[in-house]
Each structure stands twice: as structure tokens, then as C-alpha cells.
């Protein structure tokens, strides 16, 4: 793999590398890239999907290579500016009393102490205490609120120090979101670079698409309105500024209330359009609801701009101007979704009907291959894409088509781990077809999961493709005596994983943990060792056919004369299944079982494509074999 990366960067070519778990992907691309960057006096970007891999690169792999290679080079972590504490905003928040509760006041004291003596970077992720989201927003660094050289804290600014490190570094480690934000901003966020590696490249299309879309949600608008002028006296920025501008400030407060009322009416109209018992629907025609949102937001933006012009305090002026631009952003977004003037986009609405119902409208491009070809894979800079799961049916055709990759070398490397000895694939002999007998299938899956959990007594992931099915199975099994079930949605994701990783001790005492999760747990989750010995996949991860984005991609392929099932649905599901399977074996010592409870592996022609895409391992079809396997690995 190192040789292939070396050939690509020196030849200024693109490269697609699939490398199974245990190959050592990061060292394989880092070593030639570092030598090249030092030799050519250039800079390289490593872009990841997860924070866990970022941390591995910056805290383990690169420090190791700085010692081992004997080369003089530096590395910098590049994250969004909102991840940094802003000393100026922290100071103003304390002076103006911009906290909303006693707990936030205490958190503010903790932040002052932390910033003064406990951090060199000012990164929130290094805090050993929690702060509320609203307080974090008030004290984080925001690009449109930055005073730059005029700031009293310019010399000791955490973000400014970070940018200095970035410009001095040979290796920049960032994430896909930051990379495509930089691309969208005309490459003004990251320093110039000469090569890029996308690690966890199976997620590139999803992230790139999100950055090209638009979303207007009821919580986002409420947050904007509350930031400007809260619903209670003394809340919101306008009530706290010095020399508030008299009538102009009153105009802003009045127009904020009017825009808030318009947003409530807008989302009420959206809510009325939802089919009964549905939480998502595709918007197929422009003006599906009256656009009573763009004008009030535009008027609010204009009033804020006028107020900013009259306010004396430079910092207040900056903050009000930023609020104005955010109102403009939402006004344009609403116009884009409702008018549907952008070609090649799909539009839809979503609802989350829980304690605090939220509604949103969305627009996303259906096909980003042309833009990716032009902006990323144009040949001016070598690009390396790598992941354990990039191929489907032993071909890179799917990712090439989705990302517009025409010119690239290819390399496919299997895992060095001994799956034959260490892993068991369990596919029950008979299960109802999930496409034909939904109710019977859910009942049978619930029964099968319960039997497996009775054998494993914990250390088990149960991966679902839908919340509905997960909730039904959880309701049936939450009182089971064999395990304690941690279910997505009941506690935050990081807390679930934190608790699950400590489950081995509980299992040895008689009752371990089973974690129930949907797509967020299929990838980017690393639980090595005996803490995770079983992964149950309830259903092959085909996209929901009537999901608006899936539906639009299907229509696009049909218009091109291609079979969507062959060109999109199967390869996409194969990649996701491989990701789910990949949660199990993370080190060469790991042992365990993956259970796939979907009978279509046996009964449909494409089942063999899925089986052949997985590492070669023993296959069982009876629970007695499962029981014997777990006895053997737990001796």
C-alpha cells in the first residue's frame, strides 16, 4: 500500500485503496506522504470521517513517526473555529451576564478557570467538565464575529495560534466536513495543500452532498430569534447591548416577533402536508406551502443591519451584523426550498414528533459526481481514497460513479486477520421474508435476538436499519434477564458507548450489555477486545425505497437507462453491510460472531454478492453451533 501511495503522489495520480482491518492504513499512507512533503517542501491534508481516527492520527501515529523517521516535520489538527473558545466572547458573556441560569453561571466560572491555566489549545473537546450548548455558542469562536487584529485578545487568541500551527505544518489532519466547508468557501479556510488523503472514504459522498444542500428547521430559526430577542424580558442580545439605538432596537424586537410568528405559521403549514403517520415526505412541486417566511426574515435582516450602523460599540456592531447575515441565510434557504429553482436537486420535509416536535425542509443535489470531478479529482493534486469498505462485488465501479472518479489507480488488499479461526457468521436456516411478511419477520427477529443474547450474556451490538423496528424489538426485550439493553435515543451516543465498553466486568458477574443502534452505529465505532464479541445485523441495509433522496437517485438512474437496483441499491447495501460486519474484529486477537438475520442472503440471487463481499469465515445455521462457538472462545 505504501508503494502504491508513493507511486501516486510522485506521479501526481489519484489512487483508490481498499485495505482490510489490520493492514495499517494510516502508517501505509503517512510514511510516503511525509517523506514527499519534506522533500518537496509541500503540505498534505489527511481527512477523516470520525473524531476517533483524528485522535489516533494526531496522538499516536504521527507522534510515533516524528520519532521513528528522523525527519523534521510538524502536524496540525484542523477543526472548525466553533470548536475553540473565544476569550473576547467569554469576557463579554461574563461582563454582560449573558448566561440563562445559575448552572450556566457556574459553568462560566469553570470556563474562566480552564482557559486561564488548564488549556493550551482552547479546544472544547479537551474540557473535563460539561457546559450547555447555549453557553458554548455564546463563548465559541465564530468567524463572522471575529474582531481580528482589532481584538484585545488577538495575541493570545486560541484560534489564531492554531492557524499559525497550521501554516507551519507539513501534515494537516482534518475531517470531511471541514474539507468540504473549505471547498465551499473557495478554499479560504485551510492553508494551501498539494495532496489529500480521504481516510474512511466510504463517507465522502454523504458529507460532500450535505455541504451542497440547504436545510431550514424550526429549532434553528427559534435559536436565531432567541439569540436576537428572547420571549422573556432581558433575554436575547438586543436587550443587553450598550446604547441600543432607541427606535431601531424596538423595530428589531418587533420584527423578530413577527418573523417568529411567520415561522410558526410556516411550519404549521408544513406539518399539515404530512401524510397520516408519516414523518417524511418528498416535496414534488414548488410553492407546496405559501412562502410567508422569506420576506419577514429579509425585513428582520435589514432592520438588524440598520441597527448595526447606528450602534457605537464596535463589538456590538459586529455581533448585530452577524445576526443580520444569518437571517439573510435563512431567508435565501427558504426561498430555495420553496421555489425549487435549482435543477438536479431533491426536496423534502421531515418531522420529529417527540416531547419537543421539530419540523424541517431540505434540499440536496441528487448527483455530485460532476462537481467532485471538477473540484477534487481534476488531476491538479494527487488524491488518495482509502477505507476497509470501498468495493462492491470486487469492483470500485460504484464509488467511481458516485464521486466522478475517472482517472485513478486501484489497489484491493484483504485483512491479515484470521477470520476462519476467529469469526463465525451465523445465518439462521429459516426466517420470514422481511419484504413480504413484515409483522412475522419482526416477531421472529425478536425471538432470535433473545435466544442469541441468552447465549452471549452481553458484549453484543444489535444493528437495525430503522428506528421503528428497533423500538418494537426493544419494547419486547427491555425486561429480559440475560442482558441490560442500552437503546439509542434513550441516552446520548457517547454515553452508551462509554457504558458498553465497561460491560465486560458486568458480563463476568452474570449480566452484560447489549447495545441497540441504527445506522450511526454501523460505522466509525471501535470497541476492540472481549467487550464486543457479537454483532447482530437484523436486516440487509437496503435504502428505504420511498426515502426522498433514494427515490430521486433511482429516478435519475432510470432516466439514464440503468437498473437502480443493480447500479445503486445492491452496491450501497454491500458497503454498509461490510461496515456493520467490520465492527466485530478490530485486532488480531479479537474473536466473535456476526449474525445476519435476513433470509435473503440464502433465498435471493444477490445473496451470494453479499456473502462474497465479507471476509471468509465459518458459517453456522443452527443455534447449537453458536452455543459451542461461544463456549470455545470463552474458555
Amino acid at each position: 500500500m505504501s508503494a502504491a501511495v508513493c507511486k501516486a503522489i510522485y506521479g501526481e495520480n489519484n489512487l483508490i485503496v481498499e485495505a482490510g482491518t489490520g493492514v495499517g492504513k494510516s502508517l501505509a499512507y503517512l510514511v510516503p506522504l511525509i517523506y514527499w512533503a519534506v522533500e518537496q517542501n509541500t503540505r498534505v491534508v489527511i481527512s477523516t470521517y470520525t473524531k476517533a481516527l483524528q485522535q489516533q492520527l494526531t496522538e499516536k501515529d504521527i507522534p510515533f513517526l516524528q520519532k521513528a523517521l528522523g525527519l523534521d516535520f510538524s502536524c496540525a489538527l484542523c477543526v472548525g473555529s466553533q470548536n475553540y473558545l473565544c476569550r473576547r466572547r467569554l469576557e463579554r458573556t461574563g461582563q454582560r451576564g449573558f448566561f440563562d441560569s445559575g448552572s450556566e453561571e457556574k459553568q462560566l466560572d469553570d470556563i474562566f478557570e480552564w482557559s486561564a491555566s488548564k488549556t493550551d489549545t482552547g479546544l472544547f473537546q479537551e474540557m473535563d467538565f460539561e457546559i450547555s450548548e447555549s453557553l458554548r455558542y455564546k463563548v465559541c469562536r465564530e468567524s463572522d464575529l471575529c474582531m481580528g487584529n482589532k481584538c484585545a485578545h488577538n495575541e493570545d487568541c486560541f484560534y489564531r495560534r492554531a492557524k499559525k500551527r497550521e501554516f507551519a505544518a507539513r501534515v494537516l489532519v482534518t475531517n470531511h466536513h471541514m474539507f468540504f466547508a473549505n471547498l465551499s468557501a473557495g478554499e479560504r479556510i485551510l492553508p494551501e495543500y498539494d495532496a489529500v488523503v480521504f481516510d474512511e472514504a466510504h463517507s465522502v459522498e454523504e458529507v460532500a452532498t450535505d455541504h451542497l444542500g440547504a436545510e431550514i428547521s424550526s429549532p434553528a430559526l427559534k435559536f436565531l430569534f432567541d439569540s436576537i430577542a428572547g420571549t422573556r424580558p432581558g433575554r436575547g442580545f438586543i436587550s443587553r447591548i450598550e446604547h441600543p439605538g432607541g427606535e431601531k432596537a424596538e423595530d428589531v424586537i418587533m420584527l423578530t416577533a413577527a418573523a417568529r410568528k411567520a415561522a410558526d405559521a410556516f411550519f404549521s403549514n408544513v406539518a399539515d402536508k404530512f401524510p397520516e403517520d408519516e414523518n417524511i415526505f418528498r416535496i414534488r412541486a414548488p410553492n407546496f406551502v405559501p412562502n410567508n417566511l422569506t420576506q419577514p426574515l429579509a425585513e428582520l435582516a435589514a432592520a438588524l443591519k440598520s441597527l448595526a450602523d447606528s450602534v457605537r460599540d464596535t463589538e456590538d456592531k459586529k455581533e448585530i451584523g452577524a445576526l443580520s447575515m444569518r437571517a439573510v441565510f435563512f431567508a435565501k434557504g427558504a426561498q430555495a426550498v420553496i421555489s425549487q429553482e435549482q435543477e438536479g436537486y431533491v426536496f423534502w420535509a421531515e418531522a420529529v414528533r417527540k416531547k419537543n416536535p421539530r419540523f424541517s425542509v431540505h434540499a440536496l443535489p441528487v448527483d455530485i459526481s460532476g462537481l467532485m470531478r471538477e473540484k477534487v479529482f481534476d488531476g491538479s493534486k494527487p488524491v488518495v481514497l482509502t477505507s476497509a469498505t470501498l468495493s462492491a462485488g470486487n469492483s470500485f465501479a460504484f464509488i467511481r460513479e458516485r464521486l466522478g472518479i475517472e482517472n485513478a489507480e486501484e489497489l484491493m488488499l484483504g485483512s491479515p486477520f484470521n477470520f476462519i479461526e476467529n469469526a463465525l457468521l451465523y445465518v439462521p436456516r429459516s426466517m420470514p421474508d422481511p419484504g413480504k411478511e413484515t409483522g412475522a419477520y419482526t416477531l421472529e427477529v425478536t425471538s432470535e435476538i433473545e435466544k442469541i443474547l441468552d447465549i452471549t450474556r452481553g458484549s453484543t451490538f444489535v444493528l437495525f436499519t430503522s428506528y421503528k423496528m428497533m423500538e418494537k424489538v426493544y419494547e419486547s426485550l427491555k425486561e429480559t434477564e440475560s442482558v441490560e439493553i442500552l437503546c439509542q435515543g434513550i441516552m446520548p451516543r457517547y454515553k452508551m458507548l462509554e457504558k458498553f465498553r465497561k460491560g465486560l466486568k458486568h458480563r463476568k458477574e452474570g449480566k452484560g450489555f447489549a447495545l441497540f443502534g441504527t445506522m450511526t452505529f454501523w460505522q466509525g465505532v471501535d470497541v476492540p477486545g472481549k467487550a464486543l464479541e457479537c454483532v447482530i445485523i437484523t436486516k440487509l441495509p437496503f435504502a428505504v425505497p420511498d426515502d426522498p433522496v433514494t427515490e430521486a437517485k433511482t429516478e435519475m438512474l432510470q432516466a439514464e437507462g440503468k437498473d437502480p437496483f443493480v447500479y445503486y441499491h445492491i452496491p450501497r447495501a454491500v458497503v454498509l453491510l461490510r461496515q456493520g460486519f467490520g465492527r466485530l474484529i478490530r485486532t488480531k486477537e479479537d474473536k466473535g460472531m456476526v449474525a445476519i438475520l435476513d433470509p435473503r442472503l440464502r433465498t435471493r440471487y444477490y445473496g451470494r454478492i453479499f456473502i462474497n463481499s465479507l471476509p471468509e469465515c465459518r458459517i453456522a445455521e443452527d443455534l447449537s453451533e453458536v452455543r459451542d462457538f461461544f463456549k470455545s472462545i470463552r474458555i
Side-chain angles (χ1 to χ4, degrees), residues 85 103-104 106-108 110-111 124 127 129-137 139-140:
L85 176 70
S103 61
E104 280 198 356
K106 168 65 171 65
Q107 291 167 12
L108 198 66
D110 292 339
I111 299 172
F124 289 112
M127 284 182 172
F129 55 93
E130 291 188 13
I131 62 173
S132 69
E133 280 300 311
S134 64
L135 182 58
R136 175 170 166 158
Y137 165 74
V139 300
C140 74

Side-chain angles (χ1 to χ4, degrees), residues 134-439:
S134 64
L135 182 58
R136 175 170 166 158
Y137 165 74
K138 291 164 190 166
V139 300
C140 74
R141 195 266 178 184
E142 294 272 3
S143 57
D144 53 1
L145 298 177
C146 182
M147 302 297 295
N149 292 333
K150 295 177 181 177
C151 179
H153 296 281
N154 188 45
E155 291 303 315
D156 62 348
C157 170
F158 291 120
Y159 184 70
R160 187 167 181 262
R161 287 182 198 165
K163 297 311 287 184
K164 282 184 177 178
R165 288 193 293 270
E166 289 175 23
F167 278 91
R170 286 273 171 262
V171 181
L172 304 179
V173 178
T174 189
N175 57 65
H176 299 341
H177 289 277
M178 184 78 166
F179 181 89
F180 287 104
N182 178 62
L183 212 61
S184 300
E187 302 195 77
R188 294 193 302 270
I189 300 174
L190 295 174
E192 285 187 23
Y193 56 89
D194 303 281
V196 59
V197 174
F198 291 111
D199 203 338
E200 301 175 310
H202 55 274
S203 299
V204 164
E205 183 191 3
E206 176 192 342
V207 177
T209 302
D210 283 345
H211 274 277
L212 296 168
E215 175 187 345
I216 309 295
S217 71
S218 51
L221 283 175
K222 181 181 184 300
F223 187 79
L224 173 67
F225 301 143
D226 288 349
S227 299
I228 298 168
T231 54
R232 288 182 286 170
R235 296 293 171 90
F237 185 76
I238 300 303
S239 66
R240 293 164 172 167
I241 61 176
E242 295 176 359
H243 312 293
E247 290 183 5
K248 290 186 177 182
E250 290 299 320
D251 286 346
V252 167
I253 293 170
M254 180 184 70
L255 288 169
T256 302
R260 192 189 296 270
K261 189 175 179 181
D264 290 343
F266 173 78
F267 284 110
S268 177
N269 288 334
V270 171
D272 290 341
K273 295 289 182 180
F274 279 86
E276 192 173 352
D277 298 325
E278 294 292 329
N279 291 324
I280 188 168
F281 76 91
R282 186 170 171 186
I283 303 167
R284 291 187 173 274
N287 304 311
F288 75 107
V289 293
N291 185 0
N292 60 348
L293 196 51
T294 295
Q295 186 175 342
L297 284 168
E299 289 174 355
L300 174 59
L304 283 162
K305 187 176 184 305
S306 178
L307 176 61
D309 293 339
S310 69
V311 167
R312 298 178 207 166
D313 185 89
T314 306
E315 295 180 51
D316 285 344
K317 188 185 291 287
K318 188 84 173 176
E319 190 115 15
I320 298 166
L323 291 169
S324 174
M325 290 307 297
R326 289 170 198 180
V328 169
F329 171 81
F330 283 120
K332 289 181 176 177
Q335 177 64 23
V337 173
I338 296 167
S339 68
Q340 298 194 13
E341 292 169 354
Q342 293 165 294
E343 290 186 12
Y345 274 64
V346 58
F347 305 87
W348 76 97
E350 279 187 43
V352 177
R353 306 173 192 273
K354 293 193 175 178
K355 286 181 183 178
N356 299 307
R358 58 163 285 171
F359 296 92
S360 55
V361 291
H362 306 255
L364 281 182
V366 180
D367 179 13
I368 64 165
S369 60
L371 191 65
M372 291 291 289
R373 189 182 303 116
E374 176 190 346
K375 298 289 187 182
V376 180
F377 302 106
D378 64 354
S380 62
K381 297 171 184 174
V383 178
V384 177
L385 296 101
T386 187
S387 168
T389 57
L390 289 178
S391 69
N394 291 314
S395 168
F396 291 124
F398 180 64
I399 192 168
R400 278 180 173 273
E401 185 167 344
R402 302 306 308 160
L403 295 181
I405 306 170
E406 292 178 345
N407 301 310
E409 297 296 315
E410 296 180 355
L411 181 64
M412 205 174 291
L413 302 167
S415 171
F417 295 161
N418 190 344
F419 283 87
I420 289 285
E421 289 294 322
N422 294 349
L424 181 72
L425 175 61
Y426 171 57
V427 184
R429 194 177 291 116
S430 61
M431 293 284 288
D433 190 305
K436 296 176 181 177
E437 306 169 78
T438 308

Side-chain angles (χ1 to χ4, degrees), residues 52-63:
L53 182 54
Q54 276 185 21
Q55 288 175 327
Q56 179 193 313
L57 290 167
T58 56
E59 297 173 15
K60 180 184 174 186
D61 295 341
I62 292 173

Side-chain angles (χ1 to χ4, degrees), residues 456-476:
T456 66
R457 314 296 292 185
S459 301
T460 301
F461 270 12
V462 186
L463 303 178
F464 296 84
T465 58
S466 79
Y467 279 98
K468 269 185 184 176
M469 185 178 181
M470 180 182 72
E471 288 168 350
K472 283 180 182 177
V473 176
Y474 173 70
E475 283 302 316
S476 299

